[in-house]
PDB file of all heavy atoms in Angstrom:
ATOM      1  N   ALA A  24      23.137 -24.824  11.959  1.00  0.00           N
ATOM      2  CA  ALA A  24      21.889 -25.590  11.949  1.00  0.00           C
ATOM      3  C   ALA A  24      22.120 -26.943  11.336  1.00  0.00           C
ATOM      4  O   ALA A  24      23.197 -27.312  10.961  1.00  0.00           O
ATOM      5  CB  ALA A  24      20.824 -24.837  11.207  1.00  0.00           C
ATOM      6  N   GLY A  33      16.987 -28.772  -8.356  1.00  0.00           N
ATOM      7  CA  GLY A  33      17.452 -27.427  -8.607  1.00  0.00           C
ATOM      8  C   GLY A  33      18.768 -27.101  -7.934  1.00  0.00           C
ATOM      9  O   GLY A  33      18.968 -25.995  -7.444  1.00  0.00           O
ATOM     10  N   ASP A  49      35.903 -41.218   6.524  1.00  0.00           N
ATOM     11  CA  ASP A  49      35.638 -40.511   7.770  1.00  0.00           C
ATOM     12  C   ASP A  49      34.248 -39.909   7.699  1.00  0.00           C
ATOM     13  O   ASP A  49      34.072 -38.723   7.434  1.00  0.00           O
ATOM     14  CB  ASP A  49      36.688 -39.423   7.974  1.00  0.00           C
ATOM     15  CG  ASP A  49      36.560 -38.782   9.356  1.00  0.00           C
ATOM     16  OD1 ASP A  49      35.850 -39.363  10.206  1.00  0.00           O
ATOM     17  OD2 ASP A  49      37.162 -37.751   9.568  1.00  0.00           O
ATOM     18  N   CYS A  61      36.811 -28.145  10.007  1.00  0.00           N
ATOM     19  CA  CYS A  61      38.191 -28.165   9.565  1.00  0.00           C
ATOM     20  C   CYS A  61      39.168 -28.383  10.730  1.00  0.00           C
ATOM     21  O   CYS A  61      40.259 -28.857  10.538  1.00  0.00           O
ATOM     22  CB  CYS A  61      38.528 -26.864   8.846  1.00  0.00           C
ATOM     23  SG  CYS A  61      38.396 -25.416   9.867  1.00  0.00           S
ATOM     24  N   CYS A  62      38.788 -28.013  11.943  1.00  0.00           N
ATOM     25  CA  CYS A  62      39.704 -28.154  13.067  1.00  0.00           C
ATOM     26  C   CYS A  62      39.543 -29.468  13.803  1.00  0.00           C
ATOM     27  O   CYS A  62      40.375 -29.838  14.621  1.00  0.00           O
ATOM     28  CB  CYS A  62      39.544 -26.991  14.016  1.00  0.00           C
ATOM     29  SG  CYS A  62      37.911 -26.965  14.797  1.00  0.00           S
ATOM     30  N   HIS A  83      47.631 -25.030  14.433  1.00  0.00           N
ATOM     31  CA  HIS A  83      47.128 -26.296  13.922  1.00  0.00           C
ATOM     32  C   HIS A  83      46.868 -27.246  15.055  1.00  0.00           C
ATOM     33  O   HIS A  83      47.769 -27.821  15.658  1.00  0.00           O
ATOM     34  CB  HIS A  83      48.189 -26.927  12.981  1.00  0.00           C
ATOM     35  CG  HIS A  83      48.496 -26.072  11.781  1.00  0.00           C
ATOM     36  ND1 HIS A  83      47.780 -26.142  10.643  1.00  0.00           N
ATOM     37  CD2 HIS A  83      49.434 -25.123  11.589  1.00  0.00           C
ATOM     38  CE1 HIS A  83      48.276 -25.262   9.749  1.00  0.00           C
ATOM     39  NE2 HIS A  83      49.260 -24.630  10.322  1.00  0.00           N
ATOM     40  N   VAL A  88      42.577 -31.295   9.646  1.00  0.00           N
ATOM     41  CA  VAL A  88      42.609 -31.850   8.318  1.00  0.00           C
ATOM     42  C   VAL A  88      42.968 -30.764   7.318  1.00  0.00           C
ATOM     43  O   VAL A  88      42.920 -29.567   7.621  1.00  0.00           O
ATOM     44  CB  VAL A  88      41.243 -32.441   7.945  1.00  0.00           C
ATOM     45  CG1 VAL A  88      40.958 -33.646   8.833  1.00  0.00           C
ATOM     46  CG2 VAL A  88      40.137 -31.422   8.095  1.00  0.00           C
ATOM     47  N   VAL A 114      16.337  -6.017   1.226  1.00  0.00           N
ATOM     48  CA  VAL A 114      15.156  -6.553   1.898  1.00  0.00           C
ATOM     49  C   VAL A 114      15.150  -6.172   3.383  1.00  0.00           C
ATOM     50  O   VAL A 114      14.104  -5.829   3.966  1.00  0.00           O
ATOM     51  CB  VAL A 114      15.072  -8.087   1.718  1.00  0.00           C
ATOM     52  CG1 VAL A 114      14.002  -8.701   2.600  1.00  0.00           C
ATOM     53  CG2 VAL A 114      14.822  -8.432   0.271  1.00  0.00           C
ATOM     54  N   VAL A 119      12.689  -3.165   7.893  1.00  0.00           N
ATOM     55  CA  VAL A 119      12.818  -2.307   9.072  1.00  0.00           C
ATOM     56  C   VAL A 119      12.297  -0.894   8.767  1.00  0.00           C
ATOM     57  O   VAL A 119      11.601  -0.276   9.607  1.00  0.00           O
ATOM     58  CB  VAL A 119      14.261  -2.256   9.564  1.00  0.00           C
ATOM     59  CG1 VAL A 119      14.404  -1.304  10.731  1.00  0.00           C
ATOM     60  CG2 VAL A 119      14.754  -3.656   9.957  1.00  0.00           C
ATOM     61  N   LEU A 155      24.068  -9.933  20.827  1.00  0.00           N
ATOM     62  CA  LEU A 155      24.637 -11.205  20.409  1.00  0.00           C
ATOM     63  C   LEU A 155      25.708 -11.014  19.355  1.00  0.00           C
ATOM     64  O   LEU A 155      26.759 -11.659  19.400  1.00  0.00           O
ATOM     65  CB  LEU A 155      23.528 -12.090  19.868  1.00  0.00           C
ATOM     66  CG  LEU A 155      23.921 -13.519  19.466  1.00  0.00           C
ATOM     67  CD1 LEU A 155      24.544 -14.267  20.648  1.00  0.00           C
ATOM     68  CD2 LEU A 155      22.743 -14.277  18.902  1.00  0.00           C
ATOM     69  N   GLY A 166      39.566 -14.397  21.025  1.00  0.00           N
ATOM     70  CA  GLY A 166      39.750 -15.833  21.083  1.00  0.00           C
ATOM     71  C   GLY A 166      40.492 -16.391  19.891  1.00  0.00           C
ATOM     72  O   GLY A 166      40.529 -17.591  19.692  1.00  0.00           O
ATOM     73  N   ASP A 192      49.931  -1.226  15.307  1.00  0.00           N
ATOM     74  CA  ASP A 192      49.010  -2.355  15.540  1.00  0.00           C
ATOM     75  C   ASP A 192      48.039  -2.055  16.639  1.00  0.00           C
ATOM     76  O   ASP A 192      46.840  -2.366  16.555  1.00  0.00           O
ATOM     77  CB  ASP A 192      49.838  -3.607  15.874  1.00  0.00           C
ATOM     78  CG  ASP A 192      50.549  -4.189  14.678  1.00  0.00           C
ATOM     79  OD1 ASP A 192      50.055  -3.942  13.551  1.00  0.00           O
ATOM     80  OD2 ASP A 192      51.555  -4.880  14.859  1.00  0.00           O
ATOM     81  N   ARG A 195      45.449   0.314  15.407  1.00  0.00           N
ATOM     82  CA  ARG A 195      44.549  -0.380  14.523  1.00  0.00           C
ATOM     83  C   ARG A 195      43.495  -1.171  15.338  1.00  0.00           C
ATOM     84  O   ARG A 195      42.309  -1.153  15.026  1.00  0.00           O
ATOM     85  CB  ARG A 195      45.318  -1.281  13.584  1.00  0.00           C
ATOM     86  CG  ARG A 195      44.492  -1.902  12.479  1.00  0.00           C
ATOM     87  CD  ARG A 195      45.375  -2.820  11.634  1.00  0.00           C
ATOM     88  NE  ARG A 195      44.612  -3.452  10.577  1.00  0.00           N
ATOM     89  CZ  ARG A 195      45.046  -4.486   9.873  1.00  0.00           C
ATOM     90  NH1 ARG A 195      46.212  -5.035  10.141  1.00  0.00           N
ATOM     91  NH2 ARG A 195      44.313  -5.003   8.907  1.00  0.00           N
ATOM     92  N   GLN A 234      44.678 -16.255   0.070  1.00  0.00           N
ATOM     93  CA  GLN A 234      43.314 -16.438  -0.477  1.00  0.00           C
ATOM     94  C   GLN A 234      42.487 -17.366   0.401  1.00  0.00           C
ATOM     95  O   GLN A 234      41.302 -17.123   0.637  1.00  0.00           O
ATOM     96  CB  GLN A 234      43.418 -16.978  -1.881  1.00  0.00           C
ATOM     97  CG  GLN A 234      42.091 -17.038  -2.598  1.00  0.00           C
ATOM     98  CD  GLN A 234      42.261 -17.473  -4.050  1.00  0.00           C
ATOM     99  OE1 GLN A 234      43.029 -18.397  -4.339  1.00  0.00           O
ATOM    100  NE2 GLN A 234      41.540 -16.843  -4.956  1.00  0.00           N
ATOM    101  N   ALA A 240      37.207 -16.631   6.076  1.00  0.00           N
ATOM    102  CA  ALA A 240      36.687 -15.527   6.860  1.00  0.00           C
ATOM    103  C   ALA A 240      35.339 -15.073   6.294  1.00  0.00           C
ATOM    104  O   ALA A 240      34.423 -14.765   7.047  1.00  0.00           O
ATOM    105  CB  ALA A 240      37.696 -14.378   6.849  1.00  0.00           C
ATOM    106  N   GLU A 278      -4.647  -0.019   4.999  1.00  0.00           N
ATOM    107  CA  GLU A 278      -3.899   1.136   4.499  1.00  0.00           C
ATOM    108  C   GLU A 278      -2.731   0.659   3.627  1.00  0.00           C
ATOM    109  O   GLU A 278      -2.255  -0.466   3.783  1.00  0.00           O
ATOM    110  CB  GLU A 278      -3.345   1.970   5.670  1.00  0.00           C
ATOM    111  CG  GLU A 278      -4.426   2.496   6.594  1.00  0.00           C
ATOM    112  CD  GLU A 278      -5.265   3.622   5.972  1.00  0.00           C
ATOM    113  OE1 GLU A 278      -4.817   4.171   4.956  1.00  0.00           O
ATOM    114  OE2 GLU A 278      -6.373   3.882   6.499  1.00  0.00           O
ATOM    115  N   ALA A 287       6.720  -6.677   3.173  1.00  0.00           N
ATOM    116  CA  ALA A 287       8.153  -6.673   3.490  1.00  0.00           C
ATOM    117  C   ALA A 287       8.496  -7.700   4.557  1.00  0.00           C
ATOM    118  O   ALA A 287       9.523  -8.391   4.476  1.00  0.00           O
ATOM    119  CB  ALA A 287       8.571  -5.279   3.935  1.00  0.00           C
ATOM    120  N   ASP A 305      25.697 -24.995   0.666  1.00  0.00           N
ATOM    121  CA  ASP A 305      26.965 -24.624   0.039  1.00  0.00           C
ATOM    122  C   ASP A 305      28.162 -24.952   0.918  1.00  0.00           C
ATOM    123  O   ASP A 305      29.270 -25.130   0.399  1.00  0.00           O
ATOM    124  CB  ASP A 305      26.979 -23.119  -0.297  1.00  0.00           C
ATOM    125  CG  ASP A 305      26.023 -22.762  -1.435  1.00  0.00           C
ATOM    126  OD1 ASP A 305      25.588 -23.676  -2.135  1.00  0.00           O
ATOM    127  OD2 ASP A 305      25.715 -21.567  -1.587  1.00  0.00           O
ATOM    128  N   GLN A 310      26.638 -32.546   0.855  1.00  0.00           N
ATOM    129  CA  GLN A 310      25.440 -32.075   0.179  1.00  0.00           C
ATOM    130  C   GLN A 310      25.854 -31.302  -1.073  1.00  0.00           C
ATOM    131  O   GLN A 310      26.850 -30.588  -1.043  1.00  0.00           O
ATOM    132  CB  GLN A 310      24.636 -31.134   1.098  1.00  0.00           C
ATOM    133  CG  GLN A 310      24.070 -31.795   2.330  1.00  0.00           C
ATOM    134  CD  GLN A 310      22.849 -32.638   2.036  1.00  0.00           C
ATOM    135  OE1 GLN A 310      22.191 -32.454   1.018  1.00  0.00           O
ATOM    136  NE2 GLN A 310      22.560 -33.566   2.929  1.00  0.00           N
ATOM    137  N   LEU A 342     -10.263 -11.921  16.827  1.00  0.00           N
ATOM    138  CA  LEU A 342     -11.481 -12.085  17.661  1.00  0.00           C
ATOM    139  C   LEU A 342     -11.177 -12.644  19.038  1.00  0.00           C
ATOM    140  O   LEU A 342     -11.822 -12.258  20.017  1.00  0.00           O
ATOM    141  CB  LEU A 342     -12.455 -13.031  16.939  1.00  0.00           C
ATOM    142  CG  LEU A 342     -13.105 -12.514  15.669  1.00  0.00           C
ATOM    143  CD1 LEU A 342     -14.071 -13.567  15.108  1.00  0.00           C
ATOM    144  CD2 LEU A 342     -13.836 -11.212  15.900  1.00  0.00           C
ATOM    145  N   THR A 367      19.932 -31.178  20.851  1.00  0.00           N
ATOM    146  CA  THR A 367      20.745 -30.253  20.076  1.00  0.00           C
ATOM    147  C   THR A 367      22.012 -29.950  20.850  1.00  0.00           C
ATOM    148  O   THR A 367      22.021 -29.902  22.080  1.00  0.00           O
ATOM    149  CB  THR A 367      19.984 -28.931  19.794  1.00  0.00           C
ATOM    150  OG1 THR A 367      19.641 -28.317  21.043  1.00  0.00           O
ATOM    151  CG2 THR A 367      18.710 -29.194  18.993  1.00  0.00           C
ATOM    152  N   GLU A 375      23.238 -20.390  26.197  1.00  0.00           N
ATOM    153  CA  GLU A 375      23.088 -20.191  24.757  1.00  0.00           C
ATOM    154  C   GLU A 375      22.314 -21.329  24.124  1.00  0.00           C
ATOM    155  O   GLU A 375      21.536 -21.135  23.201  1.00  0.00           O
ATOM    156  CB  GLU A 375      24.458 -20.030  24.103  1.00  0.00           C
ATOM    157  CG  GLU A 375      25.111 -18.690  24.320  1.00  0.00           C
ATOM    158  CD  GLU A 375      26.438 -18.566  23.601  1.00  0.00           C
ATOM    159  OE1 GLU A 375      27.066 -19.631  23.347  1.00  0.00           O
ATOM    160  OE2 GLU A 375      26.852 -17.444  23.302  1.00  0.00           O
ATOM    161  N   ILE A 385      10.069 -20.694  18.721  1.00  0.00           N
ATOM    162  CA  ILE A 385       9.347 -19.572  18.095  1.00  0.00           C
ATOM    163  C   ILE A 385       9.250 -19.760  16.612  1.00  0.00           C
ATOM    164  O   ILE A 385       8.210 -19.486  16.002  1.00  0.00           O
ATOM    165  CB  ILE A 385      10.069 -18.259  18.460  1.00  0.00           C
ATOM    166  CG1 ILE A 385      10.003 -18.001  19.954  1.00  0.00           C
ATOM    167  CG2 ILE A 385       9.446 -17.112  17.696  1.00  0.00           C
ATOM    168  CD1 ILE A 385      10.771 -16.793  20.429  1.00  0.00           C
ATOM    169  N   PHE A 392      11.598 -25.839  10.472  1.00  0.00           N
ATOM    170  CA  PHE A 392      13.039 -25.512  10.475  1.00  0.00           C
ATOM    171  C   PHE A 392      13.776 -26.690  11.067  1.00  0.00           C
ATOM    172  O   PHE A 392      13.561 -27.072  12.227  1.00  0.00           O
ATOM    173  CB  PHE A 392      13.256 -24.272  11.353  1.00  0.00           C
ATOM    174  CG  PHE A 392      14.691 -23.774  11.338  1.00  0.00           C
ATOM    175  CD1 PHE A 392      15.233 -23.224  10.198  1.00  0.00           C
ATOM    176  CD2 PHE A 392      15.470 -23.892  12.492  1.00  0.00           C
ATOM    177  CE1 PHE A 392      16.531 -22.773  10.194  1.00  0.00           C
ATOM    178  CE2 PHE A 392      16.787 -23.421  12.472  1.00  0.00           C
ATOM    179  CZ  PHE A 392      17.309 -22.864  11.344  1.00  0.00           C
ATOM    180  N   TYR A 406       5.043 -32.544  11.572  1.00  0.00           N
ATOM    181  CA  TYR A 406       4.903 -31.113  11.804  1.00  0.00           C
ATOM    182  C   TYR A 406       3.777 -30.507  10.962  1.00  0.00           C
ATOM    183  O   TYR A 406       2.926 -29.808  11.471  1.00  0.00           O
ATOM    184  CB  TYR A 406       6.222 -30.393  11.526  1.00  0.00           C
ATOM    185  CG  TYR A 406       6.112 -28.886  11.615  1.00  0.00           C
ATOM    186  CD1 TYR A 406       6.139 -28.254  12.852  1.00  0.00           C
ATOM    187  CD2 TYR A 406       5.933 -28.107  10.476  1.00  0.00           C
ATOM    188  CE1 TYR A 406       6.006 -26.856  12.938  1.00  0.00           C
ATOM    189  CE2 TYR A 406       5.798 -26.724  10.557  1.00  0.00           C
ATOM    190  CZ  TYR A 406       5.851 -26.119  11.796  1.00  0.00           C
ATOM    191  OH  TYR A 406       5.716 -24.751  11.873  1.00  0.00           O
ATOM    192  N   TYR A 407       3.798 -30.784   9.659  1.00  0.00           N
ATOM    193  CA  TYR A 407       2.795 -30.180   8.788  1.00  0.00           C
ATOM    194  C   TYR A 407       1.385 -30.757   9.031  1.00  0.00           C
ATOM    195  O   TYR A 407       0.405 -30.086   8.761  1.00  0.00           O
ATOM    196  CB  TYR A 407       3.222 -30.344   7.329  1.00  0.00           C
ATOM    197  CG  TYR A 407       4.241 -29.326   6.902  1.00  0.00           C
ATOM    198  CD1 TYR A 407       5.518 -29.696   6.487  1.00  0.00           C
ATOM    199  CD2 TYR A 407       3.924 -27.967   6.925  1.00  0.00           C
ATOM    200  CE1 TYR A 407       6.447 -28.763   6.112  1.00  0.00           C
ATOM    201  CE2 TYR A 407       4.858 -27.021   6.535  1.00  0.00           C
ATOM    202  CZ  TYR A 407       6.102 -27.420   6.124  1.00  0.00           C
ATOM    203  OH  TYR A 407       7.042 -26.473   5.763  1.00  0.00           O
ATOM    204  N   THR A 418      -9.043 -21.187  11.693  1.00  0.00           N
ATOM    205  CA  THR A 418      -9.858 -20.506  10.674  1.00  0.00           C
ATOM    206  C   THR A 418     -11.312 -20.856  10.863  1.00  0.00           C
ATOM    207  O   THR A 418     -12.191 -19.994  10.719  1.00  0.00           O
ATOM    208  CB  THR A 418      -9.370 -20.913   9.268  1.00  0.00           C
ATOM    209  OG1 THR A 418      -7.963 -20.664   9.149  1.00  0.00           O
ATOM    210  CG2 THR A 418     -10.082 -20.104   8.212  1.00  0.00           C
TER     211      THR A 418
END
Side-chain angles (χ1 to χ4, degrees):
D49 189 13
C61 62
C62 64
H83 299 273
V88 294
V114 170
V119 176
L155 184 59
D192 286 336
R195 189 182 180 194
Q234 188 175 42
E278 301 289 343
D305 290 345
Q310 296 283 339
L342 292 180
T367 60
E375 284 183 335
I385 296 175
F392 185 69
Y406 174 80
Y407 280 117
T418 307

